[in-house]
């Protein structure tokens, strides 16, 4: 899984697990969330959105997610 750093006031980096269809978002405040069963098109939409925070709020924020600790 490869992390892509993005220019955003809210999101630091984004990754997608093709095998499990999970999207990961690492926020600037330090928390990382996993969004299971996410269509790759939603991940690509976030990567290409002019405003990552707006796209997240409009299409992703209300999806099922869980906070994860990447350093364990």
């Amino acid at each position: 899984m490869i992390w892509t750093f993005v220019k955003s006031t809210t999101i630091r980096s984004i990754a997608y697990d093709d095998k499990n269809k999970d999207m990961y978002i690492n926020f600037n405040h330090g928390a990382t969330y996993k969004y299971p069963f996410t269509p790759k098109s939603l991940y690509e939409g976030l990567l290409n959105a002019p405003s990552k925070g707006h796209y997240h709020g409009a299409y992703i924020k209300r999806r099922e997610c869980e906070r994860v600790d990447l350093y364990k």
Side-chain angles (χ1 to χ4, degrees):
M1 186 168 60
I2 297 171
W3 286 89
T4 302
F5 288 90
V6 297
K7 286 188 176 185
S8 171
T9 58
T10 56
I11 297 173
R12 179 179 304 151
S13 57
I14 307 163
Y16 190 78
D17 179 352
D18 282 305
K19 180 181 176 187
N20 296 311
K21 309 293 186 226
D22 297 332
M23 178 171 60
Y24 293 81
I25 300 176
N26 177 250
F27 291 90
N28 287 331
H29 60 75
T32 301
Y33 287 87
K34 175 175 106 172
Y35 296 83
F37 312 112
T38 301
K40 190 159 190 175
S41 60
L42 201 58
Y43 162 75
E44 291 168 345
L46 179 59
L47 277 179
N48 295 313
S51 170
K52 311 298 188 250
H54 178 75
Y55 189 93
H56 176 265
Y59 302 105
I60 300 169
K61 188 174 184 175
R62 290 171 187 77
R63 293 181 61 86
E64 175 188 343
C65 68
E66 65 180 276
R67 188 170 178 162
V68 294
D69 185 355
L70 299 177
Y71 302 106
K72 282 191 172 184

